[in-house]
Amino acid sequence: MPRDNPQAKASTYDMNEADNPMSHAEAVMDQDHAFASEHLPAYALDALEGEEKARVARHVNVCSLCQKEYDVYQDVASSLAFAVPVYDPPSYLRTAIRTQIATSPAGASLERGESPRRRRARPVAMWLNGIVLIALVVVASWNVRLQQEVQNMHGNVERTFEVLNLFMHYQAEPDKVHMRKVVARRSDSNTWGLVMQEEDSGRLIIYMDGLPVLPAGRVYQLWLRQETWSRLNDVAFRCDGKGRALLEMPLPVSLYVISAVGLTAEPESAPANVECCTIVMELEGH
Amino acid sequence: MVVHRSGKGGIVAQERESDEQLLKRIAAGDQDALLALYDRYGRLVYSLAYQVLRDHQLAEEVTQDVFTRVWAAAHTFDPERSKFTTWLNTITRNRAIDILRQRRVRGLTGAGEAELNTAITRADERFLPEHHLRALAVREALAELPEAQRDVLELAYFGGLTQREIAEKLGIPLGTVKTRMRLGMMKLRDMLTSKPGKERDDGSDAARQSAGEGEHV
């Protein structure tokens, strides 16, 4: 096997072309092999970068010998994990993991293979900052109106301040509060909203605008779509006279597993037997 | 744990499921299997994440992410390709390093790097029972490495630094870092493949029994 002795092959490559039966492609492959062999230990430690890393990666993908060698070095590198001081994770972590897996089927991809951390680290687009500012104004303005309109409704003012607080929290620590815009799937609908989740508490807040005002006796029922639609039985609501609504609820799963928010218009007295949502708002970027 | 019961209902034998068996159950949607795997490896994952990040809250986040990923990707694990602990440690280390590098970019790194050199040579730590032999073998092998070689390995694996970044950090030529890293890894490879703990890692019941491990769910 030529790859058993890369140096011998390299000598062959130095010969005159007329004397050299090896093709150019083979020579390049051989040089790549020698390069990869030398750099595999560092590659296994994830210590290469740029073209060096890319060159080794390309070669490992096509060279079974280097693939095996890489597996061995990766095993060596991962062995370092056994040498670290041992710490006990907090007991509640097991419960948190149990809760999290209970809401997603095994074998399901994490949002097209993206990791939660990467999703959280996804750069916040400039437009989102603009929306945050606009939303701040909207919510602040709405807060003033709300205080005037619902002085007798316990909790609303406090809840609104919590939303404002969440916005400020988002601005101060964008990693701790996740926010996504939701827009109606139907192009002729003006309904849109913002969905926010505080990472530490899991608390979910949904602000919606442009909702059709329902006739008396009917309420909106909230649905969330993960793999399938789930009806949130405790979340029935009305929008205000301008089609706005603000909801708050605990959510035991990450916002990033939610792909859409749905609404059904149902009789206030008894839930309707519905199979599809009247309004579907997709989470942008999902 | 697989429990066999006699005809009268008494327990007559108990066998510990291998990692691969648990992964098959996980792939089939068995939540108890994932929790059993967590009971077996939660401390290893958490400790590695903490070693990299030096932050308990972030280590919790990484641990939760890792086991969620195992839940989602158990069916992709190929036992022919690597041991389960290699797969698990690689996922853990990569997740932790991702966070570390993000924090580094934002100037949020803690004291982790400064402590790296002493972290893995401390001798007074508790061992994971099921990895007792492995841990001993790795520590012994690391102790036999020249300090200069051990430093670059630690900076790369736990610090997430590339060869170029290590050279800048230590103020030495890039070629020197490359040489130290290659030699260090080659020596580690030679030593670990000749250590008894190497062959009795993870899936081995013998290793666990010899380490005095108790029953698991």
Side-chain angles (χ1 to χ4, degrees), chain A residues 200-216:
Chain A
D200 291 342
S201 66
R203 184 173 55 137
L204 185 74
I205 287 180
I206 305 177
Y207 169 74
M208 286 168 283
D209 200 350
L211 291 169
V213 178
L214 295 176

Side-chain angles (χ1 to χ4, degrees), chain A residues 37-42 44-49 52-53 60 67 69-94 96-98 100-110 113-118 120-121 175-176 199-200, chain B residues 26 29 31 34-35 38-39 43-44 46-48 50-51 57 60-61 63-65 67-69 71-72 75 81 83 85-86 89-90 93 95 99 101-102 106 119-120 122 125-126 128 131 134-135 138-139 142 153 156-158 161-164 178 181-182 185-186 188-189 192 198 201:
Chain A
S37 294
E38 184 178 345
H39 288 83
L40 274 176
L45 279 168
D46 192 22
L48 297 180
E49 57 187 316
E52 282 186 333
K53 183 176 183 178
V60 168
Q67 178 69 68
E69 195 78 349
Y70 168 64
D71 289 345
V72 171
Y73 276 118
Q74 195 174 39
D75 185 44
V76 171
S78 77
S79 294
L80 294 173
F82 290 99
V84 303
V86 176
Y87 297 93
D88 287 322
S91 56
Y92 58 75
L93 193 54
R94 191 178 192 274
I97 290 171
R98 176 195 288 273
Q100 187 159 357
I101 63 173
T103 59
S104 62
S109 62
L110 292 175
E114 243 184 332
S115 68
R117 163 57 62 177
R118 181 164 295 181
R120 281 192 291 275
D175 279 356
K176 297 292 185 184
E199 185 171 276
D200 291 342
Chain B
I26 292 169
Q31 296 177 18
L34 184 84
L35 294 174
Y38 174 81
D39 292 338
R43 284 202 302 177
L44 177 67
Y46 182 80
S47 300
L48 174 56
Y50 181 77
Q51 178 69 29
Q57 192 172 347
E60 288 174 25
E61 183 181 323
T63 305
Q64 189 164 346
D65 283 350
F67 281 96
T68 304
R69 184 163 287 273
W71 175 250
H75 63 286
R81 175 85 188 273
K83 293 182 295 189
T85 48
T86 300
N89 288 344
T90 302
R93 188 262 179 192
R95 306 283 297 119
I99 295 175
R101 286 174 177 164
Q102 288 166 16
R106 287 150 51 190
I120 65 173
R122 290 157 63 183
E125 302 297 343
R126 290 172 297 130
L128 290 168
H131 303 126
R134 183 66 160 166
V138 174
R139 286 174 185 234
L142 282 169
L153 298 190
Y157 189 75
F158 297 111
L161 298 181
T162 65
Q163 290 180 324
R164 178 185 56 78
K178 289 186 173 190
M181 189 172 287
R182 187 173 65 252
M185 284 290 280
M186 291 168 67
L188 264 189
R189 172 185 176 159
L192 290 178
K198 165 73 177 177
D201 182 34

